[in-house]
Each structure stands twice: as C-alpha cells, then as structure tokens.
Amino acid sequence: MDWDIDYKWFGLKSYSEGLSLQNEQREKVKASSKVFLVGLEHSEVITLGIRSHKDKDLLSLSSQYEVVKAQRGGHATVHNPGQLIIYPIVPLRFLELGVRDFVCLLIKTTKEFFKDYGIETFEKEEPGLFTEKGKIALFGIQVKHGVSQHGLSINISNDLQSFKNIPVCNVKNEPMDKLSNYADNLPLEELFEKWVRIFKKNLVTCVMHKISNA
C-alpha cells in the first residue's frame, strides 16, 4: 500500500473558503483513495455542529459575529487567527478504518504532538483534549460515503477571549488553554508539518494492526 500522504498549508482562509478546499480535495481522495491533509487558520467565526443548529441563543450571535452551521459532529466552537486547523480528508472505507478508529487516531496523534512540548493532555466526557489549565484541542468530524471531512483545531496563539461568548461543546464557561502558554516561536505551518509526520506514523501503525488482525 502506498503510504505517501499529500498535504498542504493554505494559510489564513475564511470558513467558506476552507469548506470549498475540503470539498475539492474530497473529490480527489474519492478518485485516488489517497489521504490529503488540509492545514490552515480561519478568520474569526463561530461554527455550530449539527447538535447546535437550532440553538436560538447561538444563532442570535450572528449580529455580532459570523456564525456558520457546520456539517460536523458536536456543538459550537470558535475558530480565529492563531489557531491551527487540520482537516484530514481520509478514505476510511478504502483503508478499512471505522469512525472510532479514526477518532482514536486523531486523539493519539494530537496527544503525541503536545508531548513533544512536554505537555500532558487528557480526555474528558466531551470531545477534545485538556490540560490542567483548560481545553486546548477540539475535534469534530463528518464521514460521508466513507471519506472523512472536518477534523480538529488546536489553540496555538489565538485569542481565547472569544470562547467566552459561547458554551464550547455545550459546556458554559469552559476554561481554555493554548500552546503559546508553554512555548515560543510557533509558526503554524511548521506545527502543521510536525502534526502530519506524527499522523503518518500512527496511520501506518493503525492500518497495519487492522490488517494483521483481520
């Protein structure tokens, strides 16, 4: 199996531009069965997961912020500059990976990413990764016709005040944390490439494990 993973850093994009990039790459992945990882940061936006689409309090924020209904799992979150967004477009059906396998893969990779900076992260009931100071990474995926979209966001150097405007993942007053509280010199593109290297290693291990246990 060819483990050459394609990826690209796209820089600062609006949420709608990011969605267009995902849809474009998704069609290519469907045709080639090759993994593609989209890396970017978003202009400030509040996105509502499918569980928050009808929340009138959140929808009313559209007079102050851009609010977008997203076709991913979960509740509401914030994206803003300085936050690393990663959209893994992965042919799960072709790789014979289930949704649970994929989510575990994203979590394992992101935990290892933080461990490189000496940061221990842990899980709680709601999706995401946490430090002792607060939530530092958020997950929300969609799988359509066996191919994944959406993915994860990692707080790097972004303004965390914006999260106070919403119940993050349906939790009010959720404390938030970010990587810049622990390390300096954090170019998003380099961090994205670091995450990609860890993901590739873990994807190979995950798929080979599934094959050996088939």
Side-chain angles (χ1 to χ4, degrees):
M1 186 177 290
D2 183 3
W3 291 109
D4 189 20
I5 294 175
D6 286 339
Y7 64 94
K8 184 175 179 180
W9 174 251
F10 291 92
L12 181 63
K13 299 289 183 182
S14 68
Y15 187 80
S16 60
E17 288 174 322
L19 186 58
S20 295
L21 285 170
Q22 288 188 75
N23 290 335
E24 177 185 339
Q25 295 302 328
R26 183 175 174 276
E27 292 307 308
K28 293 179 180 179
V29 167
K30 283 171 61 180
S32 67
S33 297
K34 195 170 188 178
V35 174
F36 191 93
L37 304 176
V38 174
L40 44 74
E41 58 182 323
H42 280 315
S43 312
E44 181 142 356
V45 61
I46 294 173
T47 67
L48 309 182
I50 55 177
R51 295 184 183 181
S52 297
H53 278 191
K54 297 181 180 179
D55 190 319
K56 293 181 180 178
D57 289 339
L58 290 171
L59 290 170
S60 69
L61 292 173
S62 60
S63 60
Q64 308 168 60
Y65 305 94
E66 181 183 9
V67 179
V68 177
K69 294 181 181 180
Q71 296 304 313
R72 58 164 175 78
H75 294 275
T77 192
V78 170
H79 298 312
N80 53 6
Q83 183 187 61
L84 175 58
I85 309 291
I86 303 172
Y87 293 135
I89 316 299
V90 181
L92 299 179
R93 185 178 298 161
F94 174 76
L95 296 176
E96 298 184 2
L97 294 178
V99 174
R100 182 174 293 181
D101 297 321
F102 181 57
V103 171
C104 289
L105 176 62
L106 296 181
I107 291 172
K108 176 178 172 62
T109 297
T110 310
K111 280 185 173 181
E112 289 182 23
F113 170 86
F114 283 120
K115 208 160 192 177
D116 274 358
Y117 294 93
I119 303 169
E120 292 293 333
T121 56
F122 55 91
E123 298 169 69
K124 292 168 64 173
E125 286 188 14
E126 69 267 24
L129 286 178
F130 299 79
T131 69
E132 293 298 332
K133 295 180 180 179
K135 196 167 197 173
I136 197 167
L138 306 95
F139 301 88
I141 67 167
Q142 176 191 26
V143 178
K144 188 175 181 181
H145 302 307
V147 178
S148 69
Q149 280 188 257
H150 301 283
L152 65 148
S153 54
I154 301 174
N155 293 332
I156 305 296
S157 59
N158 49 315
D159 182 4
L160 301 183
Q161 293 298 314
S162 299
F163 287 93
K164 294 183 178 181
N165 298 313
I166 64 168
V168 180
C169 296
N170 210 34
V171 178
K172 292 183 178 179
N173 302 313
E174 177 78 271
M176 304 298 291
D177 199 5
K178 57 184 176 180
L179 185 57
S180 63
N181 287 333
Y182 306 87
D184 299 318
N185 189 25
L186 300 167
L188 292 187
E189 183 173 3
E190 292 180 18
L191 296 177
F192 170 59
E193 291 173 352
K194 176 195 283 281
W195 192 94
V196 169
R197 290 194 294 272
I198 301 170
F199 177 82
K200 180 176 180 178
K201 169 183 67 73
N202 288 337
L203 177 63
V204 172
T205 300
C206 184
V207 174
M208 295 308 295
H209 178 75
K210 294 284 285 189
I211 292 173
S212 65
N213 286 279

